[in-house]
Amino acid sequence: MHWYEIDFLVVAANPKEFDPLIKAFHAKSLPKKAGEALHYWAAELRTKDGTYSVILARVGRGSSLTAASLKSAIDRWAPNFVIMGGIAAGLPDEAKLGDLLVSRSLL
């Protein structure tokens, strides 16, 4: 159980996708815990409706690696929402840069 609530976990698979997120959120690097595979960054998202806590992580490429890393991040932070930012490299004929893709189901 956390003493604080994480509103959003934002992840991306590679530096081309992840580095702009770090800059956009003005995220701060968190100390890495012993034995932890992922490095995390923390930020706050301030809106007119309130302030939201954000954790960012680069989860790696490939569905198996991404799934394992994402599970680890969700278990660690227990976020209310998970957002995967990226360029949809796996869907070059179906998505254009700037498109918003929304899942129909959860795996």
Side-chain angles (χ1 to χ4, degrees):
M1 192 58 108
H2 300 289
W3 55 270
Y4 51 88
E5 184 174 351
I6 298 301
D7 295 302
F8 296 97
L9 171 63
V10 180
V11 299
N14 65 52
K16 186 176 184 180
E17 299 167 337
F18 189 68
D19 293 348
L21 293 171
I22 295 295
K23 289 179 185 171
F25 279 99
H26 303 286
K28 306 273 189 250
S29 178
L30 295 176
K32 196 170 181 180
K33 287 188 173 185
E36 206 165 48
L38 295 178
H39 187 135
Y40 297 103
W41 285 260
E44 286 187 338
L45 177 61
R46 296 176 192 267
T47 73
K48 65 179 181 174
D49 298 318
T51 300
Y52 301 92
S53 57
V54 180
I55 295 292
L56 298 98
R58 188 162 65 98
V59 293
R61 288 197 233 170
S63 23
S64 296
L65 177 60
T66 300
S69 297
L70 189 53
K71 181 181 180 334
S72 175
I74 290 170
D75 289 348
R76 165 94 158 76
W77 297 103
N80 292 322
F81 301 96
V82 177
I83 298 171
M84 182 162 198
I87 57 175
L91 302 168
D93 297 330
E94 300 174 44
K96 297 182 300 262
L97 192 60
D99 284 354
L100 175 63
L101 307 178
V102 179
S103 173
R104 290 187 187 144
S105 63
L106 299 174
L107 301 175

